[in-house]
Amino acid sequence: MDIKPILSALGRHRVAALLITLEIALACAVLCNAFFLISGRMGLMRIDSGVDERSLAAVALNGCDGCNAADVNGRALAALRAIPGVRGAGVVNALPFGQRAGDAGVTLDRDGKHFGGVPHFYAFGPSAVETLGLRPAQGRGFVPGDFQRADNFLPADAQVWITRAFADHLWPGESALGREFWMGDYHFRVAGVLAHFARPNPGRSEDGLASAEWSVVVPVSDDSLLGSYVVRADPADLPNVADAARKAMAKAVPEAVLDQAQSRPLSDLRREYFQRDRAMLWLLVSVIGAMLLVTALGIVGLASFWVAQRTKQIGIRRALGATRGDILRYYQTENFLLATAGIVLGMLLAYGGNLLLMKHFELARLPLAYLPAGAVLLWLLGQLAVLGPAMRAAAIPPVVATRSA
Amino acid sequence: MFAYYFNLALRSFKRNKALTALMVLAIALGIGACMTTLTVFHVLSGDPIPQKSDKLYFVQLDPRTRQGMQPGEEPEDQVTRFDAETLLREKRADRQAMMTGGGVSVTPQRKELAPFTASARYTSADFFPMFETGFLYGGGWSAKEDGNRARVAVISKSLNDKLFGGANSVGRQVRLDQADFTVVGVTDGWKMNPRFYDLNSDRYGGAEEVLLPFSTSRDLEMSRNGSMNCWGNTGADATDLNAPCVWIQYWAELGTPAKAAAYRDYLASYSEQQRKAGRYERPANARLRNVMDWLDYQRVVPGDVILQMWLGFGFLLVCLVNTVGLLLAKFLRRSGEIGVRRALGASRRAIFVQCLVEAGTIGMAGGIIGLGLSLLGLWLVRQQPSSYAKLAHLDPGMLLVTFALAIVASLLAGLLPAWRAMQVTPAVQLKTQ
C-alpha cells in the first residue's frame, strides 16, 4: 500500500491527526507506567516468606511485662502442645506479616564506619526454629550451645543465620559463611544462609522492596522471649487449631491479654497485610480499563467524522475502481501511522513519567520490555477502534459520490 | 443570547446523541477519577488543628555521638527522656508536653467483659490545653499529679461507653495493667487526623483510649510502642532516664513568632550546654517545626495517595484530549450550518461563544455524572482497609471544585474546536451546499 497519499491527506487534517496522536501518546505513557506499578505490586504480593504459611498460626499475648518468662512460656507451650492436631509450638519475637520486633542498622566493622543496611532481627528459641521448619541452604544448623540467654534484646555475641538476599547485599558475589557484622556493641557471625525468609513488613520498611527479605535469625534460649508463639498443624486442621490455641492461651495465661488481631493463621495475616496493595491493584486495573475504553471511543468518534467528511472522496475512488478492501486498508493504514507516531511520542512520555515517579516514589527504572508490550496493545486497540468506521466507509457505494455533489 | 445558545446546544445534542453521550461519558469518567483521588489527598493533607497549627512546635535535638555524623544531617525525630524531662522542668515555652505511645491492659469491673488491651498515651499535664482535647466530663490532670506519679487517667468517650455505659465516670476507678487508676476526665470523642503529635504509629487512626501521666507510666514500667533509636550502651533498660535512646515526642506551644525565635535560641544554647557537659558530642543541631512544617517534613500523606492523584489527573488529561477531538469532529461537521449563520451576519465572536456554550453544557452534564462517579469512588475508597480510608468524604468545598473543574476542563477542551469553527469561511461553505 502506498502511504504517500495517506500522508498528504493527513497533512490537510493536521489538528485532528495531532489529537489522535496525542491521545495514543498519553494512553501509552499512562499504560506503561501503570503496568509497571502493577507488576511491582504483584511481585511484592507473591513474596516467598520462607515458611509454610498454610500450616502455621501465630498466637500473641499483651500486657505481661512483669511476668516470669520461663513460667509463662512453660504454661503457654504446654497448653498449645496439648491441643489435638498440633505438631509443634515455639516461642518467637516476631513472624512474617506480624508485628515487627526489631529493625536495626548493622555495620561491617566494629567501629561502625561501614554501614550495611537495616535488617529485621528475629530472635527464635530452639522450639521456634523447629516449628517454623527453618533450615539453612548453606552453612550449618544451630546446635544447642548457640541458643544463649538474652536479657536485653539479643545476646552480645551470636552465631546467626541471614537470608541470601541480605548476604548478597552485604557481601555481593562472596560467600557469607563465617563473615561478621556488628550492631553497636552486639557482634554477629554468619553460621548459615537461608534461601528465603521475609521480614515482618516486606516492602514497607526503609529500603522498600529491595529489603523485603533482609532478615537475621538470632538463636536465643526460650526464656529470653515472652508473649509471642507459633504453632504448626496440618493445613486442614489449622483453622480449628488456631481457634483452640486462642482459647487455650486465655485459660493457660489468664494474667495476660490475648492479642486477637495478631493471633491468627499466617495465611490470614498475609492476606490482611497485602489488602492495601490488592486495593491499589484493582484501582490501577480499572484506570487502565477506563482509559483504554475512552481512547478507543475517541478514535471511533474521530474516524467516523473523517469517514463522513470524505464520503465524496471515497465514492470517487470507488468509481475509479478501488475495491472495498482498498478503502478498508486505507483507513487501517492511516490509523497504524497515527498510532505509530503516538506510540513513539508516548514512549518518551512514559520514560519521562517514570523518571518523575522514580524521583518522588522511590520506584525502580521502567524496564524497556514494557514499551513494546504497550505499543502492541495500542496498535491492536487502534485497529479495533477504526474497524467499524472503516467498514462503514468501505460500504459506501460509488453512486454516492455523484449524488452528494 | 446565552439562553439561545444554550437552546441551540441542546438541539445539537439531540441531533448527535451518540457523539454527545461519548463526550459526556469521557468528561464524567475523567472528573470522577480525578475528584475521587483529589478528595482523598485533600482530606489527608489537611490541617489537623487549624486554630493553632502555627503555635504548636515540635522539638528536635541531636544527642547522638560523633560516629557516622554527616554534614547537614537532620537531627533525630524524637528526644531522649533526659532532654524531655529537663526541657519540661525548665518550662521555657507557653506550654509544653512530653509524650510517648503505649498499650495497657484494661480489666473491667463488670465480670461479663473479658480483659482487653487499649491504646495509651503517656504524657504530661499541658497536653490537654495544648491539643484542645475537650472534655465530656471532668478535665485533665495538673503538673502536681505529674510530679507525684499519681494514679490518674483520662479516658476516651468510647472507652467510657464500654466500661461505664456512658455515665459520668469521674472519680471512679479503672484497672490498668493490674493497678487502679482514678478517672479524672473523659474526652469528648477527640481525635486528630493526621495524628500529628505522634507519627510513629498509625498516622490516621483514632486517638488513644487512655491517657495517663508519663511519670506514672515509668513508675509502673508500662509497655510503650512507636519507634526508638539507640546508640552506645543502653544498659538494662532503654527507657531509663540516662539511656542514650530517643523515643519521646516533645511539643511546645509558642504564642508568637518572637517567642518561637527565642525558643530556638534557647534550644541552641541548651544543646551547647549539653555538649560542654559532655553529654552531646555534635555541634548544636536543633529544629523547631510547627505542625504543618512537621507534617510536610514527615511526608505524612501516603505515597500511594499522591500516586493515585497523579494517575487521576493523567486520566482526566486523556479524557480531555478525547473530548477535544470529538468536539472538533462535531463542530466541523456543522461547517455548513456555521457558514449559513456567518453569511446571515453572525460575527466570528458569536460563533466562538456559541461553540463554547455548547462545550460548557457538555462539561456541566459530565460534571453531574462525574460527581455521582466520585461519590461512588469515595464509597469504594472507604471500603478499603487503610486507617485513612474512613475519612474520605466529599465536603462542600470539594463539591464546588468538582463543578468548577468539570466546566473549566470542558471549556478548555472546547477552545480549540470553537476556534476552528469560527474560522469557517461562509463563501466556501455556501458554494458547496
Side-chain angles (χ1 to χ4, degrees):
Chain A
M1 183 123 195
D2 198 2
I3 59 168
K4 242 172 128 183
I6 300 181
L7 285 179
S8 65
L10 282 177
R12 264 183 287 131
H13 297 277
R14 270 188 301 265
V15 179
L18 203 71
L19 280 173
I20 291 196
T21 309
L22 204 60
E23 240 165 57
I24 291 179
L26 280 173
C28 181
V30 179
L31 198 68
C32 289
N33 279 298
F35 271 151
F36 180 51
L37 289 174
I38 287 179
S39 79
R41 298 266 159 170
M42 298 226 323
L44 176 62
M45 287 168 67
R46 272 203 302 266
I47 191 172
D48 184 351
S49 66
V51 291
D52 181 10
E53 292 153 34
R54 291 172 314 133
S55 53
L56 295 170
V59 185
L61 297 177
N62 274 332
C64 204
D65 297 323
C67 298
N68 176 301
D71 165 47
V72 170
N73 288 344
R75 276 185 281 149
L77 290 178
L80 292 173
R81 285 175 184 139
I83 297 168
V86 166
R87 299 207 177 140
V91 199
V92 296
N93 70 335
L95 288 167
F97 314 117
Q99 245 154 20
R100 74 206 150 102
D103 289 334
V106 301
T107 54
L108 298 179
D109 56 338
R110 193 185 296 274
D111 302 329
K113 293 240 165 30
H114 191 136
F115 183 68
V118 185
H120 181 266
F121 280 85
Y122 283 104
F124 288 153
S127 58
V129 171
E130 181 160 348
T131 307
L132 287 167
L134 287 176
R135 249 167 240 106
Q138 264 181 309
R140 64 170 179 86
F142 292 135
V143 293
D146 290 332
F147 295 96
Q148 308 171 56
R149 213 186 132 71
D151 290 315
N152 185 17
F153 188 34
L154 295 172
D157 192 12
Q159 302 278 331
V160 299
W161 292 340
I162 64 175
T163 51
R164 169 115 53 220
F166 193 47
D168 288 344
H169 170 74
L170 291 183
W171 302 287
E174 295 169 51
S175 166
L177 293 180
R179 305 293 289 260
E180 300 165 281
F181 59 95
W182 283 263
M183 182 198 87
D185 294 338
Y186 295 95
H187 171 236
F188 305 97
R189 190 183 292 273
V190 179
V193 176
L194 294 165
H196 292 284
F197 194 40
R199 65 195 305 155
N201 55 342
R204 307 234 217 288
S205 53
E206 229 173 285
D207 298 281
L209 198 53
S211 70
E213 284 194 45
W214 289 4
S215 307
V216 178
V217 175
V218 185
V220 296
S221 62
D222 273 349
D223 59 3
S224 305
L225 303 167
L226 178 65
S228 289
Y229 307 89
V230 58
V231 291
R232 174 183 281 275
D234 190 80
D237 297 339
L238 195 71
N240 295 331
V241 166
D243 266 349
R246 280 197 291 267
K247 293 200 185 90
M249 283 302 254
K251 210 175 279 168
V253 193
E255 66 268 41
V257 178
L258 188 76
D259 186 337
Q260 299 284 354
Q262 292 293 324
S263 302
R264 292 193 303 163
L266 250 58
S267 48
D268 284 13
L269 291 177
R270 180 193 188 110
R271 196 165 46 238
E272 179 150 313
Y273 182 80
F274 287 123
Q275 214 161 20
R276 226 168 67 193
D277 301 271
R278 250 193 317 277
M280 182 75 181
L281 215 59
W282 279 114
L283 183 106
L284 287 169
V285 169
S286 25
V287 165
I288 289 180
M291 198 186 60
L292 290 183
L293 182 77
V294 167
T295 307
L297 291 179
I299 294 174
V300 171
L302 269 186
S304 307
F305 161 66
W306 267 345
V307 169
Q309 224 185 17
R310 296 176 190 163
T311 306
K312 213 172 98 181
Q313 176 207 347
I314 294 164
I316 292 170
R317 281 197 64 201
R318 292 277 281 124
L320 290 177
T323 61
R324 288 176 181 225
D326 286 336
I327 304 289
L328 195 67
R329 266 194 301 281
Y330 176 90
Y331 282 100
Q332 282 177 327
T333 311
E334 183 186 69
N335 183 273
F336 183 80
L337 289 177
L338 289 174
T340 308
I343 286 163
V344 170
L345 185 63
M347 285 180 174
L348 294 177
L349 280 177
Y351 205 68
N354 174 243
L355 285 182
L356 277 178
L357 289 177
M358 271 170 66
K359 205 169 138 206
H360 295 287
F361 302 101
E362 283 139 29
L363 276 172
R365 186 174 293 278
L366 185 72
L368 289 175
Y370 283 86
L371 299 178
V376 169
L377 193 64
L378 284 168
W379 266 319
L380 283 177
L381 183 83
Q383 290 301 311
L384 222 72
V386 87
L387 200 60
M391 296 226 295
R392 244 179 297 137
I396 293 173
V399 70
V400 172
T402 47
R403 255 193 229 143
S404 63
Chain B
M1 215 48 173
F2 185 81
Y4 174 61
Y5 289 153
F6 186 68
N7 195 359
L8 280 183
L10 291 184
R11 275 166 193 279
S12 135
F13 293 165
K14 251 182 240 159
R15 246 180 306 154
N16 252 316
K17 288 200 191 81
L19 204 59
T20 312
L22 268 184
M23 286 188 277
V24 172
L25 184 73
I27 290 195
L29 282 174
I31 293 287
C34 193
M35 285 315 294
T36 303
T37 55
L38 195 63
T39 304
V40 173
F41 177 80
H42 169 74
V43 168
L44 298 193
S45 58
D47 186 343
I49 184 161
Q51 64 278 24
K52 59 199 294 189
S53 59
D54 56 341
K55 296 192 179 75
L56 295 174
Y57 290 86
F58 190 76
V59 173
Q60 288 173 270
L61 295 167
D62 205 345
R64 288 170 292 189
T65 54
R66 285 197 86 89
Q67 197 176 308
M69 187 176 132
Q70 271 157 30
E73 205 178 359
E74 282 285 338
E76 287 285 338
D77 285 349
Q78 301 178 92
V79 298
T80 63
R81 183 173 165 194
F82 183 91
D83 290 329
E85 295 199 357
T86 311
L87 294 185
L88 194 72
R89 207 166 40 235
E90 295 188 356
K91 276 189 195 304
R92 293 298 184 87
D94 295 346
R95 289 188 180 118
Q96 45 260 306
M98 63 188 283
M99 66 193 81
T100 186
V104 293
S105 69
V106 183
T107 314
Q109 285 159 342
R110 282 158 52 190
K111 280 281 167 282
E112 70 271 21
L113 266 181
F116 57 92
T117 49
S119 56
R121 179 141 300 266
Y122 313 132
T123 184
S124 52
D126 281 353
F127 180 90
F128 304 98
M130 275 174 82
F131 300 106
E132 305 197 337
T133 50
F135 285 96
L136 191 61
Y137 305 117
W141 60 80
S142 70
K144 203 175 106 224
E145 273 91 20
D146 276 334
N148 292 344
R149 298 161 183 267
R151 307 273 168 99
V152 291
V154 166
I155 60 174
S156 70
K157 186 171 178 290
S158 59
L159 187 61
N160 189 52
D161 288 347
K162 195 164 172 183
L163 289 178
F164 302 104
N168 184 349
S169 58
V170 171
R172 290 175 69 172
Q173 300 287 303
V174 55
R175 197 162 177 76
L176 307 173
D177 276 7
Q178 313 304 324
D180 283 321
F181 283 73
T182 307
V183 176
V184 292
V186 178
T187 58
D188 191 9
W190 172 80
K191 58 171 170 254
M192 290 281 141
N193 275 305
R195 287 183 356 142
F196 66 93
Y197 55 84
D198 183 357
L199 296 171
N200 290 299
S201 39
D202 206 350
R203 294 183 161 190
Y204 292 95
E208 285 80 3
E209 292 162 287
V210 177
L211 295 121
L212 48 90
F214 182 86
S215 52
T216 315
S217 81
R218 289 338 319 142
D219 217 24
L220 294 173
E221 292 181 359
M222 295 170 124
S223 74
R224 57 160 296 282
N225 57 34
S227 96
M228 174 185 267
N229 262 1
C230 294
W231 56 93
N233 188 7
T234 58
D237 186 358
T239 62
D240 271 348
L241 183 62
N242 291 311
C245 299
V246 291
W247 55 290
I248 290 169
Q249 302 93 44
Y250 194 90
W251 286 88
E253 182 175 337
L254 300 157
T256 62
K259 280 183 183 169
Y263 201 78
R264 267 193 193 94
D265 293 341
Y266 159 64
L267 289 178
S269 72
Y270 173 80
S271 301
E272 192 53 33
Q273 184 195 322
Q274 292 299 316
R275 200 175 65 84
K276 281 199 183 113
R279 254 194 86 232
Y280 285 14
E281 293 181 10
R282 301 186 179 195
N285 184 24
R287 296 278 190 288
L288 195 62
R289 290 184 159 98
N290 68 22
V291 174
M292 293 316 278
D293 289 346
W294 174 240
L295 291 180
D296 198 39
Y297 172 66
Q298 286 284 302
R299 299 202 180 176
V300 73
V301 179
D304 271 6
V305 170
I306 302 176
L307 202 61
Q308 285 166 8
M309 187 181 67
W310 285 115
L311 211 61
F313 275 114
F315 182 55
L316 179 65
L317 194 64
V318 171
C319 292
L320 282 185
V321 172
N322 269 286
T323 312
V324 174
L326 294 175
L327 276 176
L328 193 68
K330 198 167 183 223
F331 291 165
L332 291 190
R333 187 183 276 189
R334 295 216 308 266
S335 294
E337 177 197 318
I338 295 170
V340 173
R341 283 202 62 209
R342 290 276 285 122
L344 291 177
S347 66
R348 290 197 161 168
R349 213 185 101 106
I351 303 289
F352 187 73
V353 173
Q354 185 207 338
C355 289
L356 273 192
V357 167
E358 188 167 335
T361 314
I362 289 173
M364 212 122 95
I368 291 171
I369 300 178
L371 184 69
L373 288 178
S374 36
L375 287 175
L376 180 74
L378 287 172
W379 179 80
L380 281 174
V381 169
R382 285 197 294 278
Q383 309 308 307
Q384 280 185 48
S386 322
S387 57
Y388 63 76
K390 289 186 279 307
L391 305 169
H393 285 279
L394 205 66
D395 55 34
M398 290 312 267
L399 199 85
L400 280 179
V401 172
T402 309
F403 276 106
L405 188 65
I407 292 174
V408 168
S410 60
L411 287 182
L412 276 179
L415 275 183
L416 174 78
W419 181 261
R420 295 283 297 190
M422 147 186 133
Q423 306 292 334
V424 167
T425 35
V428 175
Q429 289 304 323
L430 290 176
K431 227 188 297 172
T432 55
Q433 283 290 310

